[in-house]
């Protein structure tokens, strides 16, 4: 138990906690846009970028962010939405990440960390990155949230009123890509995907409105992350598999929505 309060592990804990809450909220928007597979797409491409950075002698975090920004650019040029674009990113990123990781010892270490989720080795750079992403999300999401929601609920509204939507969608895609890339480097690819997918998936069913969904998603992410961190530390297990296992274990919470009087009445 003393390890939980050791100053050595405080930095990784807060880095992971911040990243988890941010990507869980972003996951709501991705789910609303039917692009929840973006979590795996951006995470795998960020992993490939990080490995490429190690091979080229560049900072892994900067290379991962550059690779994610490139993915957003490709998606914008293709002018496509939905999950099919991200499926191709997953395949390419996975192959590039593992092939690159096999070339040198240092690249292999990073590749293993992306798979296993070596959260405990997060440094000051990762903490400041997660705090920067959180600050950016706190500024950007309130500015673009209304238009993102309106575009999904009332498609064509902005076009009919001669309002360009691409700055909003591209801005969100860049924010999502950066947040997922940082989270993947901090806690692993599959752990990042779990934090994007599971809290938003449950919040969509339990919340009665968008603001409540944001609150639900953030609280679920924080609770899930903390439980996984404590369990992994006490049991001396790798963090990412524990987090994913707990995320799967809490999935039945979604079906509590069907037990509420409001949902039964609506059904």
């Amino acid at each position: 138990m003393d390890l939980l309060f050791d100053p050595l592990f405080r930095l990784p804990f807060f880095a992971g906690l911040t990243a988890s809450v941010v990507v869980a909220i972003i996951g709501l928007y991705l789910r609303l846009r039917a692009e929840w597979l973006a979590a795996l797409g951006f995470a795998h491409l960020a992993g490939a970028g990080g490995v490429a950075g190690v091979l080229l002698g560049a900072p892994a975090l900067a290379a991962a962010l550059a690779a994610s920004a490139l993915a957003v650019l490709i998606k914008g040029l293709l002018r496509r939405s939905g999950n099919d674009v991200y499926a191709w990113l997953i395949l390419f990123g996975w192959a590039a990440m593992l092939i690159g990781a096999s070339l040198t010892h240092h690249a292999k270490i990073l590749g293993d960390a992306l798979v296993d989720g070596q959260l405990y080795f997060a440094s000051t750079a990762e903490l400041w990155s997660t705090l920067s992403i959180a600050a950016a999300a706190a500024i950007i999401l309130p500015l673009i949230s209304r238009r993102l929601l309106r575009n999904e609920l009332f498609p064509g509204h902005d076009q009919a009123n001669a309002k360009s939507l691409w700055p909003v969608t591209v801005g969100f895609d860049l924010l999502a890509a950066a947040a997922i890339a940082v989270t993947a480097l901090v806690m692993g690819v599959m752990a990042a995907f779990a934090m994007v997918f599971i809290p938003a998936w449950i919040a969509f069913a339990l919340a009665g409105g968008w603001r409540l969904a944001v609150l639900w998603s953030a609280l679920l992410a924080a609770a899930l992350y903390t439980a996984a961190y404590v369990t992994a530390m006490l049991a001396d297990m790798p963090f990412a598999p524990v987090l994913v296992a707990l995320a799967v274990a809490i999935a039945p919470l979604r079906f509590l929505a069907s037990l509420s009087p409001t949902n039964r009445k609506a059904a």
Side-chain angles (χ1 to χ4, degrees), residues 133-199:
I133 291 296
I139 295 171
I140 295 173
L141 286 180
L143 296 177
I144 65 176
S145 180
R146 183 180 296 273
R147 293 191 65 184
L148 285 174
L149 296 176
R150 186 172 62 200
N151 184 59
E152 296 301 324
L153 299 175
F154 304 102
H157 179 277
D158 286 313
Q159 185 177 1
N161 288 276
K163 293 183 178 180
S164 178
L165 189 65
W166 74 263
V168 173
T169 57
V170 171
F172 172 76
D173 286 341
L174 286 172
L175 176 64
I180 294 169
V182 170
T183 305
L185 288 181
V186 170
M187 64 177 65
V189 170
M190 291 307 297
F193 175 63
M195 297 310 295
V196 172
F197 180 70
I198 296 294

Side-chain angles (χ1 to χ4, degrees), residues 15-16 24 30 48 53 75 84 106 160 183 187 197 200 202 228:
L30 292 173
K75 178 176 179 286
D84 56 343
H106 291 297
T183 305
M187 64 177 65
F197 180 70
I202 296 175

Side-chain angles (χ1 to χ4, degrees), residues 37-53 60-61 63-75 85-86 88-97 114 177 180-181 184-185 189:
L37 204 56
L40 272 180
F42 286 138
H44 276 86
L45 204 62
V51 170
L61 181 58
L65 292 173
S68 298
L70 178 61
V72 173
L73 176 61
I74 293 173
K75 178 176 179 286
V85 175
Y86 298 113
W88 288 107
L89 293 180
I90 292 170
L91 295 174
F92 173 79
W94 179 80
M97 180 176 68
L114 288 166
I180 294 169
L185 288 181
V189 170

Side-chain angles (χ1 to χ4, degrees), residues 121-133:
F121 297 106
S123 65
T124 305
E126 281 77 20
L127 176 61
W128 281 111
S129 297
T130 58
L131 292 176
S132 299
I133 291 296

Side-chain angles (χ1 to χ4, degrees), residues 221-267:
L224 175 60
Y225 169 82
T226 303
Y229 190 90
V230 172
T231 301
M233 286 284 291
L234 295 181
D236 193 21
M237 292 180 177
F239 171 77
V242 172
L243 175 65
V244 174
L246 289 181
V248 173
I250 67 169
L253 286 175
R254 176 182 172 91
F255 303 105
L256 291 177
S258 63
L259 303 178
S260 68
T262 302
N263 285 349
R264 286 203 300 266
K265 183 177 180 180

